[in-house]
Amino acid sequence: MDTRLDEQSVYSLDVQGMGDAIKNLPLMLKKGREIGQEEEPLRLIRGIDRVAFLGMGGSAISGDLIASLFLDKLPLHITVVRDYNLPPFLGKKTLYFAVSYSGDTEETLEACTQALKLGGQVVAVTSGGQLASLARNFGSPLLLVPPGFQPRAALGFLFGAALAYMEKLKLVPDLSSQWEETFSLLEELARRYSPEIPASQNPAKQLALALEDKEIIICATPGIAAASALRWKTQINENSKLTALVDFYPELDHNEIVALSLRKRNSFLLTLRDKEEHPRTALRVALTTKIIKPFLLGAEEIMSQGDSRLARLFSLVILGDFLSYYLALLQGVDPTPVEAIRILKKRLSEK
Ligand code: F6R
């Protein structure tokens, strides 16, 4: 009998508590929201037309997820910069969110310094480090989140704080009812996917078992599904220590479909979807899947759950987080450490 995903095996391998952090996503999101709500609102200069998230990895993804909520809803352009340099289309009329959980990520610190030099308004979201010092020195708003987690496990804090602060600044509409729905849906999903629930009744464990030893291909429709797909990929990279291919509809129908329709590997296709996708995109998913499925070992469509966009977004995020967690455990790997990232950062800091 396969006991690798039984509660006891899970917790004996996960010694640093990644499973608890994932289970606590609803609580962390609540806490993050409170942090954003409590901070004094910045007096915005007139004519803010862009919001730029400056960050990397598990911190930057909060920007992608926030942007996906408003893509077709607001005249405000929300962009994510994952680099040292700011693109020239950003300037004084941009509101910058410098997001680094550790506060010590060099690309984020450099981009943030450039934004401050430009005279841009910067909000820092961090648990401390040099970013917190920079924000204090410049008198910038500082959304200080609790320390002690892996950055990717602190998504609830970072996302919650930044989005609640955007609401406070009235850059985005009031989301109170969406938050309420999100908290209760996430609590329910966290219970349903948690290690205590056996594989026979646990969709996250079942998905991990279906994907075991396969090449993982994630395709997503635009909007919240696409942003969630990025989170699935990075969580599979860092928690499961596996690669995953990611591509997006409708663009993939103009290139990737060719390769996928001739794939001779051990591939499993996951398609992340949302009810607001364009009807032609829905048709594309059906037709594309039909063309490529004979070449795959398996395929599954995952539809977001819930009513509001925020709830639907997090219904996908939490499933991906648990999936990446169980994929690590199936391989006998501790989901928490990310040794290669740690070593690289150490070597860079010595240069
Ligand atoms: C580690 C993780 C990484 C970090 C990234 C940037 O758990 O998710 O992707 O997020 O190396 O570090 P921070 O988030 O501290 O700026």
Side-chain angles (χ1 to χ4, degrees):
M1 206 174 92
D2 189 350
T3 58
R4 290 172 299 163
L5 294 185
D6 288 357
E7 188 184 351
Q8 216 187 347
S9 325
V10 164
Y11 287 124
S12 60
L13 193 57
D14 174 22
V15 286
Q16 297 184 58
M18 183 56 80
D20 285 338
I22 297 173
K23 251 189 351 195
N24 284 332
L25 179 60
L27 282 178
M28 292 165 92
L29 204 53
K30 258 186 211 170
K31 177 72 191 159
R33 184 187 181 208
E34 282 163 23
I35 292 167
Q37 284 174 327
E38 279 157 17
E39 179 67 19
E40 265 311 295
L42 188 65
R43 284 190 48 186
L44 285 180
I45 59 159
R46 247 196 268 154
I48 289 286
D49 59 357
R50 279 177 199 274
V51 170
F53 282 85
L54 316 177
M56 303 302 299
S59 292
I61 194 75
S62 57
D64 297 288
L65 297 175
I66 289 175
S68 76
L69 293 172
F70 306 107
L71 274 178
D72 56 340
K73 290 265 188 234
L74 294 177
L76 184 72
H77 189 104
I78 305 177
T79 180
V80 183
V81 178
R82 291 175 164 89
D83 199 0
Y84 295 89
N85 288 324
L86 295 182
F89 60 80
L90 301 179
K92 263 193 155 177
K93 287 188 175 172
T94 304
L95 176 68
Y96 299 88
F97 279 85
V99 190
S100 169
Y101 182 69
S102 63
D104 292 323
T105 296
E106 60 176 48
E107 299 95 315
T108 312
L109 288 168
E110 166 71 23
C112 178
T113 305
Q114 288 186 14
L116 288 164
K117 279 192 186 146
L118 272 176
Q121 290 183 295
V122 176
V123 181
V125 192
T126 183
S127 68
Q130 297 170 64
L131 182 58
S133 311
L134 200 60
R136 287 193 183 103
N137 291 343
F138 278 83
S140 300
L142 175 58
L143 308 181
L144 202 58
V145 303
F149 294 88
Q150 277 287 332
R152 62 189 186 281
L155 173 72
F157 294 149
L158 302 171
F159 176 100
L163 183 56
Y165 197 63
M166 286 174 79
E167 281 179 87
K168 193 149 184 176
L169 296 179
K170 301 206 177 348
L171 286 167
V172 298
D174 176 79
L175 299 167
S176 306
S177 62
Q178 297 207 29
W179 283 111
E180 289 319 314
E181 193 210 349
T182 305
F183 296 142
S184 61
L185 179 65
L186 273 184
E187 277 158 22
E188 183 196 321
L189 294 177
R191 270 195 302 273
R192 199 187 300 167
Y193 302 151
S194 80
E196 291 75 19
I197 306 297
S200 59
Q201 295 154 44
N202 187 325
K205 288 185 181 179
Q206 286 165 12
L207 201 52
L209 286 162
L211 287 170
E212 192 185 2
D213 296 330
K214 318 251 178 14
E215 178 191 59
I216 301 169
I217 301 172
I218 304 168
C219 294
T221 56
I224 60 166
S228 307
L230 285 178
R231 171 73 174 176
W232 281 47
K233 176 202 178 286
T234 53
Q235 288 290 77
I236 289 171
N237 296 153
E238 294 182 64
N239 287 342
S240 330
K241 285 71 166 153
L242 292 171
T243 50
L245 294 178
V246 178
D247 218 320
F248 305 100
Y249 281 99
E251 175 66 15
L252 73 88
D253 276 350
H254 302 271
N255 30 66
E256 188 77 48
I257 185 175
V258 180
L260 292 178
S261 68
L262 296 167
R263 202 100 189 139
K264 290 194 189 67
R265 299 230 185 113
N266 218 4
S267 310
F268 196 107
L269 172 70
L270 297 170
T271 307
L272 305 193
R273 307 188 59 179
D274 179 56
K275 66 179 181 189
E276 280 185 284
E277 64 201 19
H278 192 285
R280 298 290 294 177
T281 301
L283 178 61
R284 282 177 178 277
V285 172
L287 297 176
T288 305
T289 308
K290 206 165 175 193
I291 292 171
I292 63 183
K293 209 171 165 178
F295 299 87
L296 303 169
L297 273 188
E300 191 150 334
E301 286 185 14
I302 292 139
M303 186 55 96
S304 62
Q305 300 173 58
D307 276 337
S308 66
R309 267 199 194 173
L310 187 59
R312 298 197 320 268
L313 171 69
F314 273 94
S315 76
L316 291 173
V317 167
I318 196 165
L319 178 57
D321 282 11
F322 271 113
L323 166 68
S324 66
Y325 176 71
Y326 293 128
L327 277 171
L329 299 162
L330 282 177
Q331 299 172 87
V333 164
D334 180 348
T336 302
V338 278
E339 269 308 280
I341 298 178
R342 191 189 62 75
I343 292 167
L344 180 71
K345 285 186 178 179
K346 185 164 177 292
R347 291 193 187 155
L348 279 164
S349 73
E350 290 158 1
K351 302 272 175 206

